[in-house]
Amino acid sequence: MPETASPLKVVMVGAGNVASALAPALDRLDGVEVTAVWSRTATHAEELAKLLSNVHVAGELSDIPSDADLYLLSVTDDAIPSVAQAIKCGPQSVAAHTSGGVDASVLGCMTPHYGVFYPLQTFTKGEPVDLATVPLFVEGSDSVANRLLESLAKRITPLADYADSHRRAVMHAAAVFACNFTNHFLARADDILRSEGLTLDVLRPLIAETIRKSSVMDPRSAQTGPARRNDTGCIAHHEALLTPDQRTLYHTVSQSIIDYYHSKKSD
């Protein structure tokens, strides 16, 4: 009888939001097994292990097996260099991280075959995301890393593509504006409403329409509000209602909008 090909062994280094989405997706692929998980927080690794079929929870970085085919680092950007230095793997192994803002070469200390496996999406544990709808950008140091990362990415999503470290960093910076800053502003809006016994529910139709318009038209054309109109009276009235830190943020962003559209008129 013909021999069955050995499964691709993957080690997930990290057990945060991104790892908790990627590890199960990889483990579900035919011929792929997530064999080990490590996290600085042991309980996080144990929680992720429950979502996988047959996995070893490594208590220390030194406990991570050295015979895996792929080491996927999904830790904070600042932690990637030190974690990479502490992992021992074989010279034929591929190592990749999931960061949008860190150069791939930081993993060169692990193996000659390194790269990036970056899903451009926001992830939160307990909130499922269909990875088939998520752009997943890969980059490899050589043909070995490129083939493996590209193959896995295309099996997860039809939106897999190549992006070098510079382009990925640009997309990551833009994503911070589009996602992280937007979410922070929603939290600030919720604070303002709660100070008067209201909730964010009153704004949900407005939020939904704002996001919908950004998907069907140029957001520059969709901009509305007092700053877009340069309505200084309305702006001053709003600022008088706010706490000092809210007022500073409101004023800074309003001025940015005013300046942005003034510069467009001047072009």
Side-chain angles (χ1 to χ4, degrees):
M1 294 182 63
E3 291 186 10
T4 303
S6 299
L8 183 82
K9 297 179 181 179
V10 179
V11 170
M12 180 59 66
V13 184
N17 293 327
V18 177
S20 295
L22 283 181
L26 290 167
D27 202 48
R28 286 192 294 266
L29 297 177
D30 290 339
V32 178
E33 290 182 3
V34 178
T35 58
V37 172
W38 171 89
S39 173
R40 290 189 192 277
T41 306
T43 55
H44 292 174
E46 292 164 1
E47 289 168 1
L48 178 54
K50 293 176 182 177
L51 304 178
L52 307 172
S53 54
N54 185 23
V55 66
H56 164 66
V57 176
E60 304 289 341
L61 286 169
S62 58
D63 295 333
I64 291 176
S66 59
D67 63 345
D69 300 295
L70 173 63
Y71 294 80
L72 197 56
L73 279 67
S74 187
V75 296
T76 64
D77 289 5
D78 289 346
I80 291 174
S82 60
V83 170
Q85 289 281 354
I87 296 174
K88 305 300 180 186
C89 64
Q92 298 307 310
S93 300
V94 173
H97 65 65
T98 62
S99 170
V102 176
D103 195 278
S105 62
V106 72
L107 301 181
C109 60
M110 293 180 64
T111 168
H113 317 300
Y114 57 84
V116 178
F117 200 74
Y118 170 54
L120 183 48
Q121 182 56 283
T122 175
F123 296 98
T124 302
K125 289 182 183 180
E127 292 294 327
V129 172
D130 180 4
L131 287 174
T133 67
V134 175
L136 206 169
F137 295 97
V138 300
E139 176 188 9
S141 62
D142 60 8
S143 60
V144 173
N146 271 324
R147 273 198 306 270
L148 177 60
L149 298 174
E150 183 178 319
S151 172
L152 287 176
K154 287 182 175 180
R155 293 182 66 189
I156 292 174
T157 173
L159 302 179
D161 203 352
Y162 173 84
D164 63 21
S165 291
H166 172 73
R167 182 167 293 245
R168 193 176 65 256
V170 169
M171 289 189 291
H172 191 231
V176 169
F177 274 87
C179 173
N180 306 135
F181 288 177
T182 297
N183 192 75
H184 179 67
F185 274 89
L186 292 175
R188 288 301 192 117
D190 193 40
D191 289 341
I192 293 167
L193 291 168
R194 286 181 184 277
S195 70
E196 290 296 323
L198 300 166
T199 72
L200 201 61
D201 287 345
V202 71
L203 294 185
R204 294 199 189 281
L206 173 67
I207 295 166
E209 178 62 8
T210 301
I211 298 301
R212 187 199 69 80
K213 284 198 298 185
S214 72
S215 300
V216 299
M217 64 185 295
D218 182 346
R220 295 163 193 79
S221 301
Q223 185 72 55
T224 60
R228 177 65 183 91
R229 301 188 299 270
N230 198 14
D231 188 342
T232 57
C234 182
I235 291 171
H237 180 62
H238 285 170
E239 290 182 356
L241 298 173
L242 303 175
T243 64
D245 64 317
Q246 292 167 350
R247 187 179 307 123
T248 298
L249 188 58
Y250 183 102
H251 181 83
T252 299
V253 177
S254 293
Q255 191 60 53
S256 177
I257 294 171
I258 292 168
D259 293 345
Y260 183 83
Y261 285 93
H262 177 75
S263 69
K264 294 300 178 185
K265 288 182 180 179
S266 301
D267 289 344

